[in-house]
Amino acid sequence: MIRPKITGTGSAVPQKVLTNFDLEKMVDTSDEWIVARTGIRERRIASEGEYTSTFAALAAQRALEAAGVAPEELDLIVVGTLTPDFPFPATACIVQQIIKAPNAFCFDLSAACSGFIYALATAEKYILSGKVKKALVIGAEVLSRIVDWTDRNTCLLFGDGSGAVVLEAVEGESGVLSTHMHSDGNYWEILYQKGAGSRNPATQKNLDDRLVYLSMQGNEVFKLAVRAMGEVAQEALSANGLTPDDVSLFIPHQANQRIIDSIGKRLGITGERVFVNLDHYGNTSAASIPIALDEAVRAGRLKEGDILLLDAFGGGLTWGAALVRW
């Protein structure tokens, strides 16, 4: 049986570190308050001259090297992001130029923090259709450019970076077992970027009104995220005749430690079976799962035959899960 298999992972984050103690000097907050409510201790922030494509391309190169795949072998590049370099062209096309992958077709996918799961599912379907043999799937963000650094309710949550995987058509039992995606547009206003689109274009007034920054109703997001991520994780397991006890490693979207703990408790997956790097990077949106996956792989947390559960939730609202046999 042909399955889409993850054959290489890579990640890249900025060198610049912004700690909670740095934030204490910027807004009315404290390290103790941030850690207690989010679990975040520091995040990485892009410097001048660094863009979403910068980290996406570097993560891609590392994933290709790990997979032993040359860029010219790629048939597809898809980038999940809500912070592309430009409204157009797609950041995926810029990555294609940087890594020199002339034979791939490329596009971006916007599903906020669920972007990597959506991108992975899209590449999975292309491989299962027989149209694609080797795909590069990337989650990449520079959220620091759309964060209001005067708003203590949001600025402490987010960071920058990218993660990538190489997905190949491989015969055998290992690979992506299934992907599951959902959306509910009734809640789009609880997490979105108000400006810079066609509704509120980048006029001077909209800039002065700070509409270019993201807006979030944190309490509502929390409640919906826990429920939705728990349900879609169960959906993925049930679709494959598995239970939470079968999961070797659970990598949830790294948004908030309390969300991660609540979902783990709901599923009965706790302790060492849950991979968390939120404390170092904050919420990197579409990049959070692939960055965590790359770190888990390089730390030896996955072995052949392990069941890996990926689970995300983001603006839209969107949510999704993927189940993988390593």
Side-chain angles (χ1 to χ4, degrees), residues 2-6 123-124 127-128 167-170 174-176:
I2 298 296
R3 290 190 187 276
K5 182 177 180 179
I6 296 172
E124 172 208 17
I127 287 176
L128 292 175
L167 205 63
E168 298 188 58
V170 175
S174 297
V176 178

Side-chain angles (χ1 to χ4, degrees), residues 6-324:
I6 296 172
T7 58
T9 66
S11 61
V13 296
Q15 290 188 348
K16 181 180 178 181
V17 177
L18 184 71
T19 69
N20 291 347
F21 298 106
D22 295 323
L23 281 169
E24 288 179 353
K25 303 169 186 175
M26 299 165 59
V27 291
D28 181 17
T29 191
S30 70
D31 172 68
E32 182 181 9
W33 190 92
I34 296 170
V35 172
R37 285 160 178 78
T38 70
I40 301 168
R41 297 183 182 276
E42 61 186 34
R43 67 286 295 148
R44 301 298 184 95
I45 303 296
S47 298
E48 185 177 352
E50 293 180 329
Y51 318 108
T52 298
S53 62
T54 306
F55 306 108
L58 186 52
Q61 289 165 336
R62 290 170 175 168
L64 288 167
E65 181 180 357
V69 171
E72 56 268 23
E73 297 180 63
L74 293 171
D75 304 304
L76 166 65
I77 301 172
V78 54
V79 175
T81 185
L82 61 85
T83 55
D85 283 21
F86 309 104
F88 73 94
T91 297
C93 292
I94 300 171
V95 171
Q96 178 191 35
Q97 177 203 36
I98 296 170
I99 69 172
K100 298 179 172 56
N103 300 312
F105 68 97
C106 312
F107 59 90
D108 290 354
L109 189 153
S110 178
C113 299
S114 305
F116 177 77
I117 296 293
Y118 270 55
L120 183 70
T122 301
E124 172 208 17
K125 299 304 186 291
Y126 272 111
I127 287 176
L128 292 175
S129 76
K131 301 295 184 183
V132 166
K133 300 298 183 185
K134 297 182 181 182
L136 181 62
V137 182
I138 305 170
E141 305 286 8
V142 176
L143 292 161
S144 59
R145 305 273 161 82
I146 65 166
V147 167
D148 183 349
W149 291 102
T150 68
D151 178 10
R152 73 167 190 164
N153 294 316
T154 57
C155 72
L156 54 87
L157 297 173
F158 299 99
D160 304 333
S162 177
V165 303
V166 174
L167 205 63
E168 298 188 58
V170 175
E171 191 169 341
E173 295 300 314
S174 297
V176 178
L177 300 178
S178 64
T179 55
H180 306 263
M181 298 176 292
H182 298 276
S183 302
D184 189 343
N186 289 310
Y187 294 97
W188 69 266
E189 288 181 284
I190 71 170
L191 179 54
Y192 73 113
Q193 183 183 0
K194 293 182 177 181
S198 63
R199 186 174 296 201
N200 295 306
T203 62
Q204 188 59 56
K205 182 180 185 306
N206 288 338
L207 290 171
D208 292 342
D209 290 342
R210 311 185 76 77
L211 297 188
V212 296
Y213 301 119
L214 64 81
S215 171
M216 181 176 70
Q217 297 176 31
N219 289 336
E220 290 301 313
V221 170
F222 183 98
K223 290 184 291 186
L224 290 166
V226 171
R227 185 185 70 192
M229 289 176 70
E231 289 176 354
V232 76
Q234 290 282 13
E235 177 186 342
L237 290 166
S238 297
N240 293 279
L242 299 173
T243 71
D245 290 339
D246 296 308
V247 175
S248 307
L249 191 65
F250 175 41
I251 302 181
H253 169 48
Q254 308 286 303
N256 182 300
Q257 187 65 54
R258 291 188 299 160
I259 291 176
I260 293 171
D261 291 342
S262 296
I263 297 165
K265 184 177 180 180
R266 176 175 290 208
L267 294 173
I269 305 175
T270 57
E272 289 297 309
R273 290 198 294 155
V274 184
F275 191 89
V276 178
N277 62 2
L278 171 75
D279 52 329
H280 295 301
Y281 303 117
N283 181 348
T284 56
S285 186
S288 78
I289 287 178
I291 290 174
L293 175 58
D294 182 50
E295 290 196 347
V297 168
R298 293 175 189 271
R301 296 285 297 274
L302 286 163
K303 63 182 185 298
E304 185 175 354
D306 280 352
I307 297 298
L308 169 67
L309 175 62
L310 310 176
D311 195 1
F313 177 91
L317 295 174
T318 61
W319 61 98
L323 202 64
V324 180

